[in-house]
Amino acid sequence: MRLRDVERNYYIVSHLIGQAEEEFMLVDKSIDLDFKDFFVSHKDKVYKYAYMHFRDGDLASDIVQEAFSKIWAKWDTIDAGQNYSSYLYSTTRNLVFDELRKRQVRLQYSALKQLGVEAHDNSIEDKIAYKDLEKLYKEAISKLPKCRMEIYALSKEEFLNNSEIAEKLGISVNTVREHIVKGNKFVRSYILERMSLSLALIIFFEIF
């Protein structure tokens, strides 16, 4: 990609993120400064995560607003000892999962309709399966070696890239990459041994 294209894409992304921030903050001017700081420091990562899956700036911007709206609605009730970032990223993944599931369902419905086969709504079952998968996912991570668990969490829970993790921990990018590859392999195997193949499982592996 040419430098001019990179600069143009960066401008578009920055504009959409700024637009999301402006629209969100106008919803309620009573939002406290702690939450505003939290929003400003995390919004870019949420946007990039959503954009990575959909390549749609408007949809990614909507997910940013919806994710932070959900956090704000519970801001005063979330346990002070809880990791706000993890809560945010879990909420974001749920939103991405729902959108990906809807897209898959629409594709399946269209294909079945062309074949003259009646389609069934399995959204409730898929959401239940996703909750079970989340539990297994966290269980699998807890069984990783301590160093690998920390690196894996920074990558999957805080959406840091390999370079950011390497800088944060003072290790090489290659070391980070190796730990994430081995972590992915273990987590996927752990889940596959305990869950049958389903739409929820396919989407789950796509977003983690």
Side-chain angles (χ1 to χ4, degrees):
M1 183 180 290
R2 292 176 302 177
L3 177 59
R4 184 177 300 174
D5 294 329
V6 172
E7 291 175 342
R8 182 170 62 251
N9 287 342
Y10 177 79
Y11 171 78
I12 293 172
V13 169
S14 298
H15 172 72
L16 287 168
I17 293 175
Q19 187 179 54
E21 178 178 358
E22 181 180 357
E23 290 176 359
F24 182 78
M25 290 308 180
L26 287 175
V27 171
D28 188 345
K29 293 185 178 180
S30 67
I31 293 177
D32 61 49
L33 291 176
D34 286 342
F35 182 80
K36 287 183 179 179
D37 290 341
F38 179 77
F39 177 84
V40 170
S41 62
H42 291 80
K43 61 184 173 62
D44 289 10
K45 291 177 183 177
V46 173
Y47 180 93
K48 290 175 183 176
Y49 178 77
Y51 187 83
M52 175 183 68
H53 288 290
F54 302 113
R55 300 299 174 183
D56 183 328
D58 290 334
L59 178 56
S61 182
D62 288 342
I63 288 176
V64 169
Q65 293 183 60
E66 187 169 356
F68 281 98
S69 292
K70 288 179 178 294
I71 297 296
W72 172 242
K74 297 184 177 181
W75 187 256
D76 292 330
T77 61
I78 296 176
D79 186 348
Q82 186 174 358
N83 189 323
Y84 288 102
S85 297
S86 295
Y87 192 89
L88 170 64
Y89 300 139
S90 177
T91 298
T92 302
R93 280 196 300 268
N94 288 339
L95 292 171
V96 170
F97 174 85
D98 284 343
E99 181 60 31
L100 287 171
R101 183 189 61 76
K102 290 175 185 175
R103 293 188 173 197
Q104 288 295 329
V105 168
R106 284 196 291 268
L107 289 174
Q108 289 181 352
Y109 179 82
S110 178
L112 290 173
K113 188 176 181 180
Q114 290 180 0
L115 294 172
V117 179
E118 183 180 357
H120 299 282
D121 182 6
N122 297 318
S123 58
I124 296 178
E125 290 85 349
D126 289 337
K127 289 183 178 180
I128 292 174
Y130 179 77
K131 292 297 182 184
D132 291 338
L133 282 165
E134 273 199 312
K135 291 179 182 178
L136 271 178
Y137 173 75
K138 292 177 180 178
E139 187 177 303
I141 291 178
S142 71
K143 296 183 180 299
L144 292 172
K146 186 176 180 180
C147 179
R148 187 165 300 158
M149 185 193 307
E150 181 180 13
I151 292 172
Y152 199 80
L154 289 172
S155 173
K156 305 298 182 179
E157 299 295 318
E158 298 192 25
F159 305 159
L160 297 185
N161 61 40
N162 291 356
S163 297
E164 290 171 330
I165 295 172
E167 182 178 354
K168 183 180 181 69
L169 300 180
I171 57 179
S172 72
V173 173
N174 286 336
T175 298
V176 172
R177 186 181 298 113
E178 180 181 354
H179 276 291
I180 292 176
V181 168
K182 290 181 177 179
N184 276 333
K185 184 177 180 180
F186 174 80
V187 170
R188 286 172 180 266
S189 297
Y190 188 90
I191 293 175
L192 283 170
E193 288 173 1
R194 294 161 177 78
M195 290 287 290
S196 57
L197 187 63
S198 65
L199 175 60
L201 181 59
I202 294 171
I203 296 176
F204 186 86
F205 281 150
E206 184 174 341
I207 66 178
F208 280 94

